[in-house]
Amino acid sequence: MADGRSWSYNRGVNKSKSTQMCRNTTFFCLTVSLPAPPQATCVQYRLVVRDVNTLQILHLYTCLDQIVHMEWSSDSLFILCAMYKRGLVQVWSLEQPDWYCKIDEGSIGLVSSRWSPDGRHILNTTEFHLRVTVWSLCTKAVSYIKYPKACQKGIDFSRDGCYMALAERRDCRDYVSVFVCDDWHLLRHFETETQDLAGVEWSPNGCVLAVWDSCLEYKVLLYSLDGRLLSTFSAYEWSLGIKSLAWSPSSQFLAIGSYDGKVRILNHITWKKVTEFDHPASINNTKAVVYKEVERKPVVGSADLSIQQHITMGSTLFNTQSKYEICPLPVQVPVVKPDLDRANPKVGVSSMAFSSDNRYLATKNDNMACVVWVWDMQRLGLLAVLEQTSAVRCFQWDPRRPRLALCTGNAKLYLWSPAGCVSVQVPAEGGFQVQSVTWHCSGDSLILLGKEQLCLCYMEVGEEEEEDDDVK
Amino acid sequence: SMSSLRQYSQSSVLPLPMTRNPYTMPTISAFCTEDNVSECISYINREVSSLGFPLLCTESNNGPELNLVAVLNNVYNLLQLHRRCLQTVEDIEVEQVKSNSNMDYLQLSNTRLKDQLELSKRENTGLLERERQLQLKVKSLHNCLKNEKEEVQKLQSIIASRATQYNHDMKRKEREFGKLKERLNQLLIDKKDKKQTFEVLNYVGRSDGKRSLWKTGKTEARHEGEMYKTLLNDYDSRHKDLLMENAELKKVLQQMKRDMVTILSPRKPKDEVCDSSRESLELSCEHAREQLTNSIRQQWRRLKSHVERLDSQASLVGERANMNAIPKEVHEEEMDRLKLEIQQYKDFIHTQQQLLQQQLNSPCDDETASLLNDCYMQEEKERLKEDWKSFEEKRKNFEAERRNFTEAAIRLSHERKAFEEDRATWLKHQFLNLTPFGDQMKPQMSKSQSALSGCK
C-alpha cells in the first residue's frame, strides 16, 4: 500500500473523564506513506505535515475532535483522520490544502476507519459492527456491507490492492466475502468451516486466503482466490490454538504461532507442515548464537561532586549503557509462568515477522517476553537468540535488508543482522522510552515512538552510524 | 576215634552242619560211637553243667554211671530249651516280617512323599511365576493409571482454560450487548436520528485516472476472468518453478549417481554413465524416474558399505600416520647436523682466508716468494674453489632436501586433516541420511516439499 518516502505519525492527548483519576495518556500512531517528501504528525486536534528530511512544516490542518486514527492514502495525496468518539472522519488533501471532506456517521457510531487500496474509498465500520460503509471520494456511490464480523482481523486487502476479504457472521455461522476493490463487486461468498473465525489474511501473491479460527480451536483453512477450499490444517485439539499467523513474502511459507509456544511452518505446495520451531526454556545443542544484553552500570562518583554534576549524572543513570555478550551454550532463558486462570494467557507465540528476503523469521514467545528468536528459513533452524533485559515491545524487519530493529521500552534501539547485533543508545534527555519502532520503506531510517516524543534515526549507508532527531 | 572227639570238644559250637529248616535234626550218628562213650559223657556233662542242668553221669566205683533221672531231666530241659528257642526264633521271624513290611510301607510312603514334594515344588515355582507376572501387570497398570491420571489432569486444565476463555468471551459479548441495548434505548428516546452525512468540496478523480464504469453483467464476467487469470498465472509460474526444480534435482541426482559410480569403481569403463544421455531424454517418464531412483539407491548402498570399510581402515591409517612423526624427528636432527656442518665450513673458510692474508703479509724474497705464493695461492684457490663448489652443492642439496622435507610434512598434515574431515562428513552423512530417499526429503535440497515424493 505504501513505499513511503514520507511518514506520518500522530500524537494525541486523551483526558479520560470517566475515571476517577485523571490520566493523561499520549499515544502515537504511525503510518508510512507513498513516496512524497512530507511527513505528517498529529498533535491533539491538529494535523501537522512535515518534510521527512528537514522536518519543516509544510501543512497544518485542524480537525473537529481529537484524532484517534490517521492514515495516508496509497498515493500519498490524502490523509484520513478519524475521530471515533464523534463518529467523524475528515480527509485532507496535500495537493489542495483547502479541499475538505467530512464524513459523519451520525448516531450509528464509528469503531474503525480505513482507506481502500486505491486511495479513493473509505471504509467505515460502525459501532457494534453493524455494517461497513464504503464511501467514495470519486462518486456519490455508497456501498454497505452487512454483518461484518468483529474479530482479530476481519478485513484484509490483497497486496496488489485488487481484492478485499471480509469476515462475516450471520445466523451463528462464519462466512467470507471476497470483493473486487475496483467497484466493490462481490466476487465470492462462502461459508467457512470454523467455529469462530478470528481472522483472514491474503498471501502476498494474492492467490490464497488464510482463514483461522479463534484460540479455542486450532484450525487454519486455506482458500483459493476463487473460493475453493485448498486445505485445512490443525495441529492439535482442545488446547488453546492459534495466536498469530504470518505469510512469508514469497508466499512459500505460512508460519502459524500457537499457544503451545511453537511455530509451525506450512509449505505452499502441499499445505502440510514442513517443520515446527519450538521455544525451549533451556537452549543447548544448536548452532545458534545467543546474545544477551548486559547492562553496564555507570560508576557513581564520590560525595564531593557538585550538584550540577549530580544532575548530569542522574540523566546518565537513566541511560545505562548496555552491550551484547555472546553466551556459551547451554543457556537458560528466563521464563515467566503465566496465570492460566485468566483468559488470553501470556503464553504462546504472539508475534512473528519474516524478513523481506524470505531468509529469516523473527518470533517472540509470550512467556519469554524478553527474548526474540531469529530462525534461518533456508536451514529451517534457529539462528540467533536475543535476550534483552526487559520485555520486548516491538520488532520490525528492515523492508530492504535482513536487519531487525527491536525495542524494549527503554531508551535504546537494538539492531540485529546476520553479522551481529548492536545496542544503540538514543541520545535523548530524560526518560525517553521507546515504545515502538517503524522502518521507513527505503530502510534508510527508523522512527522510534515514545510516550510523548518521537525520534528519527537515520542509518548511514555502509556504516551503521545514527543521527537522531528529537521531535516533540 | 579220640581225634574226632577232640575235634568236637575243642570247639564250643557243635560244628554240625546246620540246615535252614530248624525242624530237621542233624544227623547225630557222627558224634557218639562205641569207642568214645566216656569222652562224650564228659563232654555232655561239661556242656550241661555250663547250662546249669544236673550232671548226666556221675563217677562211681564201677565206672561212669548214667543217672537216668538226670538224663531225663536234662533231656526235658533241653527240649524245653529247644522249644523256647524255637518260639523265640518264630517270634523273631514274625518281627522280621513285620519290620520288612514296615520298611516296604515306609519306602512306598517315602517315594510317594517325594513325588508329592516334587509336585508341590513345581506348583510353587508356577505360582511364583504367576505372582511375578501379576506384579509386572500391576506395575504396568500403575503406569497406565498414572498416565491416565496425567491425561485427566491435562484435560481438566484444558477444560479450565477453555472455560475461562468462554466466560471471558461471554462477558465481553454481554458487555457489548449491554452497550447495544443502551444505544437502542438512547435512540428510541432521542427521536432525532442523526443521519449519516457526507460533505466534500468536490469529487476527486480516480487514482489510476480512468473513469469508473457502470456495473453490468460484462463487468462481472470481466472480474471473474481477471480472477481466473490471476490464479492461472500463479499456477503457471509455480508449475514453471517446479519443473525447473525437478530438472535441477534430477541433474543433481544423476551427478551424484555418476560420482558414486566413479568412487566405487574407478577402473571400470564408464558404460553405466552413458545411460544418462538416454535417461535425460526420457526423464519425464515414470519408468525412467523409477530407474534413476532405484539405481541411486543401489549405488548408495554400495557406497555405504564402502565407507564402512574405509572407516575400519581409517583407524589403522591413523596409527600409521603417527609413525611418520618419527622420521620427522630424524629429519630435524639431520637439519641440525647440517647446520653445524655449514657453520664449521664457514669457520674453516674464515680461518683459511686469515691464513692466506698472513701468508700475503709475511716477508719473503720477491720472485720465488711471489711465485710460491702464487702457486700456493693458486693451489689454495683451486682447493678453496672446489671446496666452495662442493659446499655450495651440499648447501643447495641440503636446502632442497629441507624444502622437500617441510613440503612433505605439510602435505602429510594436510592430507591427514583432509582425511579426517572427509571421514567426519561421511560419517555425519551416513548417520543423518540412513534412508535418504524415504518419505522425508531434506528441506535443504529444495524450498518446497519434494515433487519426487509426490510422484510416487
Side-chain angles (χ1 to χ4, degrees), chain B residues 240-403:
Chain B
K240 243 186 277 183
D241 287 339
L242 285 172
L243 278 177
M244 238 172 40
E245 262 186 57
N246 266 353
E248 273 180 39
L249 287 172
K250 277 179 189 148
K251 253 195 282 179
V252 167
L253 282 175
Q254 285 182 333
Q255 183 61 42
M256 273 176 67
K257 194 181 97 166
R258 274 196 287 265
D259 287 344
M260 282 197 277
V261 166
T262 46
I263 287 171
L264 291 170
S265 48
R267 274 170 250 110
K268 273 198 203 154
K270 301 195 170 77
D271 324 314
E272 299 163 36
V273 181
C274 298
D275 290 5
S276 64
S277 55
R278 199 173 16 104
E279 277 174 22
S280 61
L281 294 170
E282 304 170 6
L283 274 175
S284 49
C285 169
E286 173 93 24
H287 178 61
R289 272 207 305 275
E290 265 184 52
Q291 256 192 352
L292 177 63
T293 49
N294 284 337
S295 65
I296 285 195
R297 278 204 190 98
Q298 199 188 14
Q299 297 295 340
W300 181 256
R301 271 194 286 264
R302 285 175 61 196
L303 193 66
K304 260 204 299 192
S305 55
H306 183 66
V307 167
E308 277 160 7
R309 254 182 291 127
L310 278 179
D311 194 39
S312 56
Q313 287 176 14
S315 44
L316 294 169
V317 173
E319 285 168 22
R320 248 187 284 146
N322 287 331
M323 295 190 335
N324 287 338
I326 302 167
K328 214 176 177 182
E329 286 167 12
V330 170
H331 158 70
E332 292 284 334
E333 281 172 34
E334 186 81 26
M335 272 181 59
D336 290 335
R337 195 173 55 77
L338 287 169
K339 275 187 189 154
L340 199 62
E341 262 189 53
I342 289 171
Q343 192 57 41
Q344 283 175 348
Y345 283 136
K346 276 189 182 160
D347 293 337
F348 177 66
I349 290 164
H350 189 65
T351 47
Q352 284 274 6
Q353 277 184 334
Q354 276 182 340
L355 285 171
L356 212 62
Q357 280 291 43
Q358 279 176 15
Q359 277 274 22
L360 285 172
N361 293 340
S362 62
C364 52
D365 56 308
D366 293 333
E367 258 191 65
T368 48
S370 63
L371 250 177
L372 267 172
N373 273 347
D374 270 330
C375 291
Y376 284 143
M377 282 286 259
Q378 205 60 26
E379 221 183 305
E380 291 278 5
K381 268 195 193 156
E382 298 289 279
R383 231 186 310 129
L384 264 178
K385 265 204 202 130
E386 278 170 27
D387 275 351
W388 196 263
K389 228 194 292 180
S390 69
F391 158 70
E392 278 289 342
E393 267 178 40
K394 275 198 184 135
R395 194 168 66 99
K396 280 202 191 104
N397 290 344
F398 156 72
E399 290 276 11
E401 257 183 62
R402 188 171 68 163
R403 245 182 288 125

Side-chain angles (χ1 to χ4, degrees), chain A residues 344-366:
Chain A
N344 300 318
K346 284 227 169 318
V347 71
V349 180
S350 62
S351 31
M352 299 188 292
F354 276 96
S355 66
S356 53
D357 59 356
N358 280 302
R359 281 206 62 170
Y360 305 105
L361 172 67
T363 63
K364 186 182 112 164
N365 189 2
D366 275 350

Side-chain angles (χ1 to χ4, degrees), chain B residues 13 91-92 99 135-136 160 185 223 262 266 269 402 413 425 453 455:
Chain B
V13 176
D91 288 342
I92 287 175
S99 54
Q135 290 261 21
L136 278 174
N185 269 327
H223 287 314
T262 46
R402 188 171 68 163
S413 62
T425 45
S453 63
C455 296

Side-chain angles (χ1 to χ4, degrees), chain B residues 1-16 30-32 36 38-47:
Chain B
S1 58
M2 278 296 274
S3 59
S4 61
L5 200 66
R6 210 175 282 126
Q7 259 184 346
Y8 288 130
S9 62
Q10 274 175 5
S11 60
S12 53
V13 176
L14 284 169
L16 290 170
F31 174 59
C32 183
N36 56 358
S38 51
E39 281 96 3
C40 292
I41 288 170
S42 57
Y43 174 73
I44 284 174
N45 272 342
R46 264 205 318 275
E47 291 291 325

Side-chain angles (χ1 to χ4, degrees), chain B residues 124-233:
Chain B
N124 191 30
T125 48
L127 286 170
L128 278 174
E129 180 65 32
R130 251 190 73 194
E131 193 191 318
R132 191 184 63 87
Q133 280 177 351
L134 285 171
Q135 290 261 21
L136 278 174
K137 203 163 163 204
V138 159
K139 212 159 71 163
S140 72
L141 284 172
H142 267 301
N143 279 344
C144 277
L145 182 66
K146 200 169 74 159
N147 288 344
E148 291 299 315
K149 276 193 181 152
E150 277 174 18
E151 185 83 24
V152 160
Q153 259 185 343
K154 199 171 75 145
L155 286 172
Q156 277 177 340
S157 73
I158 287 173
I159 290 172
S161 71
R162 287 178 81 88
T164 36
Q165 203 70 33
Y166 282 130
N167 290 335
H168 173 83
D169 282 342
M170 270 239 296
K171 284 202 187 105
R172 195 161 45 92
K173 287 207 159 69
E174 212 180 307
R175 261 181 257 132
E176 184 139 349
F177 188 52
K179 274 198 270 179
L180 192 62
K181 282 200 282 196
E182 268 181 46
R183 174 58 72 87
L184 195 59
N185 269 327
Q186 191 198 3
L187 282 173
L188 286 171
I189 294 168
D190 235 358
K191 284 312 149 98
K192 52 180 162 105
D193 179 31
K194 285 191 278 163
K195 289 258 188 301
Q196 289 175 305
T197 56
F198 180 76
E199 285 172 34
V200 69
L201 182 65
N202 55 270
Y203 287 108
V204 293
R206 281 160 57 101
S207 52
D208 54 4
K210 293 192 216 147
R211 287 204 348 210
S212 52
L213 306 159
W214 291 107
K215 266 193 193 175
T216 58
K218 252 170 83 174
T219 52
E220 270 187 46
R222 188 170 47 90
H223 287 314
E224 289 282 314
E226 275 172 17
M227 176 189 80
Y228 283 121
K229 231 190 276 183
T230 320
L231 280 176
L232 279 173
N233 283 337

